[in-house]
């Protein structure tokens, strides 16, 4: 690891081409100037040393002279300084590594009776002034890791040997970083300064991306990336073991992997994602066990262990499903049909070849609606929670099942042209009472559907503010621009358009605000587009012309809100939910953990109690008994089937029941006609 890493000739070509494409064709026409340079400088340092655990304040002071020059490097095809900055990191990493191994030579390096603590939030930490300060930070860091291992039942000798192995693995991983990864980090400092969904992929990353897309249909069904020494879940693929078990979520961290029911756990902290994937993937029907730190875990919480059976992803598992739930409201029972749509899927090849039964969200939902109506449901809930999007075509045609005809979404290109995508089919599959459930992880096509239903006043939108991804990306292979080029130059994913609602408001950043908001575990902008500093802004364009229905109006929403507020005060389950979520939010604010064994154990027990309370409420959707599976598309669960309670769905059902009652009131029926 002693030799400096240097750029190669192909990277200068890739730098020039990427700069040309991003500065000319990205939706946000950002000039290469000093303010962009400052953003790039900060992003580059953050990508290299996110936790401020390697560079010293003196290094950063030395780098400051380059702060306004990153834009010039792009224009002049220069790479020396970015590589120089990275090579300083390698030197600092080597110093850290030597300190860690020296510290871990002692068979008992830590005193867990000593009363000291550590702040786990490194975002606001300052760069260390000198090596002694950094040594102390690292001593605490290692002590915290050691305490976690000790509390999970490891003997003192095993704790130290696990840490030694963990950091030797990280040394090997860093030793494998070559010119390609450094160049990719530098180019992404530029790409991600434009917006969070724009990126540069070096040739091997581009190959891996293609493989992931084709191979994501086997294993546990999760896309992974490495971040801050952890393997993080980027996406849980509908239809896979992780999705069906409802155990893993976006942003969870996998810390260890074991094969079969008896295999020993292998610590994967500090691993490259390729190596981690090799351990996690495996033959169909075999068991893999994972230790996972949940995205919303409190500091110091022990990892959870999950058992998954690897399998090929069954595409039918991704398809929309329905059930009927019975809601008691005002001493009357209502039959509510629930259609769960995990993503907007469409078999484009099948559609192109005019296959009769190609898979389509709209077609499946249409059949489910017919079945539900045959069962005489009083109303229908469309559940889009955790639906990250998919086919725009399907979002448009699905909206068409509930409206007469008209515009559904507007798409604005970077040059300013606006295309309106409409439903041109006048037939309506369902015109009865409707609610759409969304949460923070409902994104993209989900937001387009929910926004259209809201703008047409066709149904109630219930849940949390959605993700806010209102942009369109395209993938460009750089070699297509220079066909005679022998070297592989990589790929660029860039944002080229924005989505707008039919009322002219963008879904970007703000997403969709529900008519009725359910209690949430998240702070505003904790997850979603708003948590990204370089996110494109919210804005407005002219409204399309469309005819509003008379199903929902402000007066109705106000009445529903009053009834909901009353339940929040009187319903014990809802009161417990609100209190538990508030406690949990507050507990997550505290980033300080104790390094004293007795205190840390008490902190863990307290965290576990809060976690258990969350799980009991079904908010977590983790573990819990799986619902009994039925073969029929639509089935009412027999009374003796113990189903996991979903408070959010129950409350949405009550809101819909309220809507059904209110809509039948003569005063409102008269008001509707006058509109």
């Amino acid at each position: 690891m002693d030799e400096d890493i240097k750029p190669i000739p192909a990277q200068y070509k890739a730098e020039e081409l990427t700069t040309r494409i991003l500065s000319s064709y990205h939706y946000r026409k950002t000039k290469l100037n000093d303010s962009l340079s400052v953003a790039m400088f900060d992003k580059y340092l953050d990508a290299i040393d996110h936790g401020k655990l390697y560079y010293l304040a003196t290094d950063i002071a030395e780098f400051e002279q380059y702060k306004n020059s990153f834009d010039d490097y792009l224009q002049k095809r220069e790479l020396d300084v970015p590589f120089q900055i990275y090579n300083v990191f390698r030197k600092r990493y080597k110093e850290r590594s030597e300190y860690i191994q020296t510290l871990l030579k002692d068979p008992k390096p830590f005193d867990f009776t000593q009363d000291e603590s550590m702040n786990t939030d490194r975002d606001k930490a300052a760069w260390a002034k000198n090596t002694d300060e950094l040594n102390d930070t690292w001593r605490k860091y290692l002590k915290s890791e050691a305490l976690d291992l000790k509390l999970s039942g490891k003997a003192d000798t095993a704790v130290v040997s696990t840490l030694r192995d963990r950091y030797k693995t990280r040394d090997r991983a860093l030793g494998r970083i070559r010119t390609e990864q450094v160049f990719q980090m530098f180019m992404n400092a530029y790409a991600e300064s434009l917006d969070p969904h724009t990126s540069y992929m070096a040739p091997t990353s581009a190959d891996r991306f293609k493989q992931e897309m084709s191979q994501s249909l086997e294993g546990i069904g999760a896309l992974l990336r490495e971040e801050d020494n952890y393997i993080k879940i980027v996406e849980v693929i509908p239809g896979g073991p992780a999705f069906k078990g409802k155990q893993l979520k976006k942003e969870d961290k996998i810390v260890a992997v074991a094969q079969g029911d008896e295999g020993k756990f292998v610590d994967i902290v500090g691993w490259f994602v390729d190596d981690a994937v090799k351990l996690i993937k495996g033959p169909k029907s075999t068991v893999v066990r994972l230790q996972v730190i949940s995205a919303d875990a409190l500091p110091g919480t022990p990892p959870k262990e999950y058992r998954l059976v690897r399998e090929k992803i069954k595409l039918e598992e991704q398809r929309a499903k329905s059930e009927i739930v019975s809601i008691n409201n005002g001493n009357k029972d209502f039959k509510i049909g629930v259609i769960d749509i995990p993503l907007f899927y469409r078999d484009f090849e099948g559609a192109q070849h005019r296959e009769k039964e190609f898979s389509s969200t709209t077609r499946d939902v249409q059949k489910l609606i017919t079945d539900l109506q045959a069962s005489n449901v009083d109303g229908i809930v469309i559940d889009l929670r955790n639906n990250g999007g998919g086919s725009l075509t399907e979002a448009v045609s699905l909206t068409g099942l509930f409206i007469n005809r008209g515009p559904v979404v507007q798409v604005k290109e970077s040059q300013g042209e606006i295309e309106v995508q409409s439903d041109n089919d006048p037939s309506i599959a369902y015109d009865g009472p409707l609610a759409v459930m969304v949460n923070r992880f409902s994104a993209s096509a989900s937001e387009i559907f929910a926004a259209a239903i809201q703008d047409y006043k066709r149904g109630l939108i219930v849940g949390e503010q959605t993700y806010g991804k209102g942009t369109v990306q395209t993938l460009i292979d750089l070699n297509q621009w220079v066909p005679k080029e022998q070297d592989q130059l990589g790929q660029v994913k860039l944002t080229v358009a924005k989505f707008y609602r039919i009322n002219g408001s963008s879904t970007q950043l703000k997403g969709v605000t529900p008519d009725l908001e359910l209690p949430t575990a998240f702070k505003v902008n904790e997850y979603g587009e708003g948590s990204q500093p370089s996110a494109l802004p919210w804005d407005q364009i002219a409204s399309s012309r469309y005819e509003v229905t008379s199903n929902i109006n402000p007066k109705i929403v106000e009445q529903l809100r009053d009834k909901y507020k009353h339940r929040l005060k009187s319903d014990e389950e809802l009161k417990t939910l609100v209190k538990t979520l508030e406690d949990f939010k507050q507990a997550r604010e505290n980033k300080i953990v104790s390094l004293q064994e007795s205190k840390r154990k008490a902190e863990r027990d307290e965290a576990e109690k809060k976690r258990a309370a969350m799980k009991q409420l079904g908010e977590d959707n983790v573990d819990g008994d799986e619902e009994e599976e039925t073969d029929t598309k639509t089935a009412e669960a027999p009374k003796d089937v113990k189903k996991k309670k979903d408070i959010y769905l129950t409350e949405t059902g009550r809101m819909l029941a309220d809507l059904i009652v209110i809509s039948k009131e003569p005063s409102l029926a008269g008001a509707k006609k006058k509109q």
Side-chain angles (χ1 to χ4, degrees), residues 164-188:
R164 270 192 217 129
D165 290 348
R166 181 180 284 184
Y167 283 94
K168 277 179 181 152
T169 303
R170 271 166 67 172
D171 290 351
R172 278 198 298 276
L174 199 87
R176 278 169 45 198
I177 285 193
R178 290 288 167 261
T179 178
E180 192 172 82
Q181 286 103 325
V182 181
F183 177 67
Q184 183 171 279
M185 273 195 286
F186 171 62
M187 291 316 292
N188 275 326

Coordinates of all heavy atoms in Angstrom, one line a residue, residues 164-188:
R164 N -9.1 -7.8 15.7 CA -7.8 -7.8 14.9 C -8.1 -8.3 13.5 O -7.7 -7.7 12.5 CB -6.8 -8.8 15.5 CG -5.9 -8.2 16.6 CD -4.8 -9.2 16.9 NE -4.5 -9.1 18.4 CZ -4.4 -10.1 19.2 NH1 -4.6 -11.3 18.8 NH2 -4.1 -9.9 20.5
D165 N -8.9 -9.3 13.4 CA -9.3 -9.8 12.0 C -10.1 -8.8 11.2 O -9.8 -8.6 10.0 CB -10.1 -11.1 12.1 CG -9.3 -12.3 12.7 OD1 -8.1 -12.2 12.7 OD2 -9.9 -13.3 13.1
R166 N -11.0 -8.1 11.9 CA -11.8 -7.1 11.3 C -11.0 -6.0 10.6 O -11.2 -5.7 9.5 CB -12.8 -6.5 12.3 CG -13.7 -5.5 11.7 CD -14.7 -4.9 12.8 NE -15.7 -5.8 13.2 CZ -16.7 -5.5 14.0 NH1 -16.7 -4.4 14.6 NH2 -17.6 -6.4 14.3
Y167 N -10.0 -5.6 11.4 CA -9.2 -4.5 10.8 C -8.1 -4.9 9.8 O -7.8 -4.2 8.9 CB -8.6 -3.6 12.0 CG -9.7 -2.7 12.6 CD1 -10.5 -3.2 13.6 CD2 -10.0 -1.6 11.9 CE1 -11.5 -2.4 14.1 CE2 -11.1 -0.8 12.4 CZ -11.8 -1.2 13.5 OH -12.9 -0.4 13.9
K168 N -7.7 -6.2 10.0 CA -6.8 -6.7 8.9 C -7.5 -6.8 7.6 O -7.0 -6.6 6.5 CB -6.2 -8.1 9.4 CG -5.0 -7.9 10.3 CD -4.4 -9.2 10.7 CE -3.2 -9.0 11.7 NZ -3.1 -10.1 12.6
T169 N -8.8 -7.3 7.7 CA -9.6 -7.4 6.5 C -9.8 -6.0 5.8 O -9.7 -5.9 4.6 CB -11.0 -7.9 6.9 OG1 -10.9 -9.2 7.5 CG2 -11.9 -8.1 5.6
R170 N -10.0 -5.0 6.7 CA -10.2 -3.6 6.1 C -8.9 -3.2 5.5 O -8.9 -2.5 4.5 CB -10.6 -2.7 7.3 CG -12.1 -2.6 7.4 CD -12.6 -2.0 8.6 NE -12.3 -0.6 8.7 CZ -12.7 0.2 9.6 NH1 -13.5 -0.2 10.5 NH2 -12.4 1.5 9.7
D171 N -7.7 -3.5 6.1 CA -6.4 -3.2 5.5 C -6.3 -3.8 4.1 O -5.9 -3.2 3.1 CB -5.3 -3.7 6.3 CG -5.1 -2.9 7.6 OD1 -5.8 -1.9 7.8 OD2 -4.3 -3.3 8.5
R172 N -6.7 -5.1 4.0 CA -6.6 -5.8 2.7 C -7.6 -5.1 1.7 O -7.2 -4.9 0.5 CB -7.0 -7.3 2.8 CG -5.9 -8.1 3.3 CD -6.1 -9.6 3.1 NE -7.3 -10.1 3.7 CZ -7.3 -10.5 5.0 NH1 -6.2 -10.5 5.7 NH2 -8.4 -11.0 5.6
A173 N -8.8 -4.8 2.2 CA -9.8 -4.1 1.3 C -9.2 -2.8 0.7 O -9.3 -2.5 -0.5 CB -11.1 -3.9 2.0
L174 N -8.6 -2.0 1.6 CA -8.1 -0.7 1.2 C -6.9 -0.9 0.3 O -6.7 -0.1 -0.7 CB -7.7 0.1 2.4 CG -7.6 1.6 2.0 CD1 -9.0 2.3 2.1 CD2 -6.6 2.4 2.7
G175 N -6.1 -1.9 0.5 CA -5.0 -2.2 -0.3 C -5.4 -2.6 -1.7 O -4.6 -2.4 -2.7
R176 N -6.6 -3.0 -1.9 CA -7.1 -3.4 -3.2 C -7.7 -2.2 -4.0 O -8.0 -2.3 -5.2 CB -8.2 -4.5 -3.1 CG -7.7 -5.9 -2.9 CD -8.8 -6.9 -2.5 NE -10.0 -6.7 -3.3 CZ -11.2 -7.2 -2.9 NH1 -11.2 -7.8 -1.7 NH2 -12.2 -7.0 -3.6
I177 N -7.9 -1.1 -3.3 CA -8.4 0.1 -4.0 C -7.4 0.6 -5.0 O -6.2 0.8 -4.7 CB -8.8 1.2 -3.0 CG1 -10.1 0.8 -2.3 CG2 -9.0 2.6 -3.7 CD1 -10.8 1.9 -1.6
R178 N -7.8 0.7 -6.2 CA -6.9 1.1 -7.3 C -7.4 2.4 -7.9 O -8.4 3.0 -7.5 CB -6.9 0.0 -8.4 CG -6.2 -1.3 -7.9 CD -4.7 -1.1 -7.9 NE -4.0 -2.2 -7.2 CZ -3.6 -2.1 -5.9 NH1 -3.9 -1.1 -5.2 NH2 -3.0 -3.1 -5.3
T179 N -6.7 2.8 -9.0 CA -6.9 4.1 -9.6 C -8.4 4.3 -10.0 O -9.0 5.4 -9.9 CB -6.0 4.2 -10.9 OG1 -6.3 5.5 -11.5 CG2 -6.2 3.1 -11.9
E180 N -9.1 3.2 -10.4 CA -10.5 3.3 -10.9 C -11.4 3.8 -9.8 O -12.3 4.6 -10.0 CB -10.9 1.9 -11.4 CG -12.2 2.0 -12.1 CD -12.6 0.6 -12.7 OE1 -13.1 -0.2 -12.0 OE2 -12.3 0.4 -13.9
Q181 N -11.3 3.3 -8.6 CA -12.2 3.7 -7.5 C -11.9 5.1 -7.1 O -12.9 5.9 -6.8 CB -12.0 2.8 -6.2 CG -12.6 1.4 -6.4 CD -11.6 0.4 -6.7 OE1 -10.5 0.6 -7.3 NE2 -11.8 -0.8 -6.2
V182 N -10.7 5.6 -7.1 CA -10.3 7.0 -6.8 C -10.9 7.9 -7.8 O -11.6 8.9 -7.5 CB -8.8 7.2 -6.7 CG1 -8.5 8.6 -6.3 CG2 -8.2 6.2 -5.6
F183 N -10.8 7.6 -9.1 CA -11.3 8.4 -10.2 C -12.8 8.5 -10.1 O -13.4 9.5 -10.2 CB -10.9 7.8 -11.5 CG -11.5 8.6 -12.7 CD1 -11.1 9.9 -13.0 CD2 -12.4 8.0 -13.5 CE1 -11.7 10.6 -14.0 CE2 -13.0 8.7 -14.6 CZ -12.6 10.0 -14.8
Q184 N -13.5 7.3 -9.8 CA -14.9 7.3 -9.6 C -15.4 8.2 -8.5 O -16.4 8.9 -8.6 CB -15.4 5.8 -9.4 CG -16.9 5.7 -9.3 CD -17.3 4.2 -9.3 OE1 -17.4 3.6 -10.3 NE2 -17.6 3.7 -8.1
M185 N -14.7 8.2 -7.4 CA -15.0 9.1 -6.2 C -15.0 10.5 -6.6 O -15.8 11.3 -6.3 CB -14.1 8.8 -5.0 CG -14.6 7.7 -4.1 SD -13.8 7.7 -2.5 CE -12.2 7.1 -2.9
F186 N -13.9 10.9 -7.4 CA -13.7 12.3 -7.8 C -14.9 12.7 -8.8 O -15.5 13.7 -8.6 CB -12.4 12.5 -8.5 CG -12.2 13.8 -9.1 CD1 -12.3 15.0 -8.4 CD2 -12.0 13.9 -10.5 CE1 -12.2 16.2 -8.9 CE2 -11.9 15.2 -11.1 CZ -12.0 16.3 -10.3
M187 N -15.2 11.8 -9.8 CA -16.2 12.2 -10.7 C -17.6 12.2 -10.1 O -18.4 13.0 -10.5 CB -16.2 11.2 -11.9 CG -15.0 11.3 -12.8 SD -14.5 13.0 -13.3 CE -15.9 13.5 -14.3
N188 N -17.8 11.4 -9.1 CA -19.1 11.4 -8.3 C -19.2 12.6 -7.4 O -20.3 13.1 -7.1 CB -19.3 10.1 -7.6 CG -19.9 9.1 -8.5 OD1 -20.7 9.4 -9.4 ND2 -19.6 7.8 -8.3

